[in-house]
Amino acid sequence: MNRLRRGPRTERDRGLTLIELLVTMILLGVVSTLVVTAVAQSVRILGQTDDEALGLSDAKIILDRLGRDIREARAVTCDGGLADLNDPTSADPDCAAHLQLWIDSNSNYVEDPTEVVTWRLETNGAHFDVWRTAGTGAGGTPVVEQRQASSLIVRMAFTYGPPGAPVPVEQAEQVNLRMRYDALLDRGTGDREVAFSARLRNKG
């Protein structure tokens, strides 16, 4: 019975040594760490980009619409009510956290309940929704509410008159707004602030 004879082992037949296996595992670990770090960095940058884009877009929409209302207004009024209708502790007698405007849409110089426009924040979890309300509901007049932004604004603060020389609400010819916003809570960038001023062009 013939037995096969084994020839001398060549380099091709030789397996991995323990040292080569350890080196390979270390290299794979380093490469994996670099890949995971790069992916995490990309996700963080994407979150910041989304937050910035959403925040700037919604803030611009609010400022455009609010600015248009201020410029069309004949006067600033103030009901001295709540800044947030969902928060009974948010009394705002000087309208520093919500804004009421009289927009004389029929130009008869008579303030009708339907011509009062109110901008305010309403609680939505950790953030607030921005609401624009037309009408006061007095005397059975209709009230039209529109949500302008959702879960965006952290805080709005209104002052009246030239910066550094505020005047009472009833004498206001200029409205100044400082608004803090953050589109994605606990993600992306932190709170940002925007300042805005507009004059009442139609003040009687």
Side-chain angles (χ1 to χ4, degrees), residues 130-142:
V130 182
W131 286 88
R132 180 189 186 272
T133 305
T136 62
T141 57

Side-chain angles (χ1 to χ4, degrees), residues 144-202:
V144 179
E145 290 185 311
Q146 291 180 323
R147 184 166 55 190
Q148 304 295 317
S150 178
S151 299
L152 165 70
I153 306 303
V154 179
R155 178 175 172 269
M156 288 198 306
F158 295 98
T159 56
Y160 306 96
V167 299
V169 172
E170 60 274 7
Q171 299 175 18
E173 295 185 8
Q174 178 174 322
V175 177
N176 311 301
L177 166 66
R178 297 187 75 84
M179 182 172 71
R180 296 189 67 80
Y181 65 94
D182 183 11
L184 303 175
L185 185 61
D186 296 330
R187 287 179 52 200
T189 57
D191 292 355
R192 284 142 300 161
E193 184 173 280
V194 62
F196 167 81
S197 294
R199 293 185 61 82
L200 282 67
R201 294 179 182 170
N202 294 324

Side-chain angles (χ1 to χ4, degrees), residues 60-75:
K60 183 178 184 301
I61 290 172
I62 293 170
L63 294 180
D64 286 346
R65 293 176 182 172
L66 181 59
R68 183 177 62 230
D69 278 353
I70 294 171
R71 287 186 287 271
E72 291 177 355
R74 194 171 293 284

Side-chain angles (χ1 to χ4, degrees), residues 5 11 18 21 35 37 39 42 50 53-54 63 87 92 104 110 127 129 142 153 172-173 175 178 191 203-204:
R5 293 184 179 179
E11 283 294 318
L18 180 60
L21 186 61
V35 170
T37 303
V39 170
S42 298
D50 285 347
L54 287 171
L63 294 180
D87 181 3
D92 188 23
D104 190 11
V110 176
H127 276 190
D129 292 338
I153 306 303
E173 295 185 8
V175 177
R178 297 187 75 84
D191 292 355
K203 185 171 177 64

Side-chain angles (χ1 to χ4, degrees), residues 17-43:
T17 64
L18 180 60
I19 293 177
E20 289 172 334
L21 186 61
L22 288 175
V23 169
T24 302
M25 291 176 64
I26 292 171
L27 289 176
L28 285 175
V30 170
V31 171
S32 299
T33 302
L34 292 174
V35 170
V36 169
T37 303
V39 170
Q41 182 80 357
S42 298
V43 169

Side-chain angles (χ1 to χ4, degrees), residues 77-129:
T77 63
C78 184
D79 61 359
L82 298 176
D84 180 355
L85 297 180
N86 295 330
D87 181 3
T89 65
S90 64
D92 188 23
D94 300 321
C95 287
H98 74 293
L99 175 67
Q100 283 193 307
L101 302 165
W102 167 34
I103 299 177
D104 190 11
S105 53
N106 57 12
S107 300
N108 65 353
Y109 289 85
V110 176
E111 183 179 330
D112 298 321
T114 57
E115 296 176 336
V116 176
V117 172
T118 306
W119 285 80
R120 61 169 32 103
L121 302 179
E122 290 189 9
T123 306
N124 177 12
H127 276 190
F128 298 87
D129 292 338

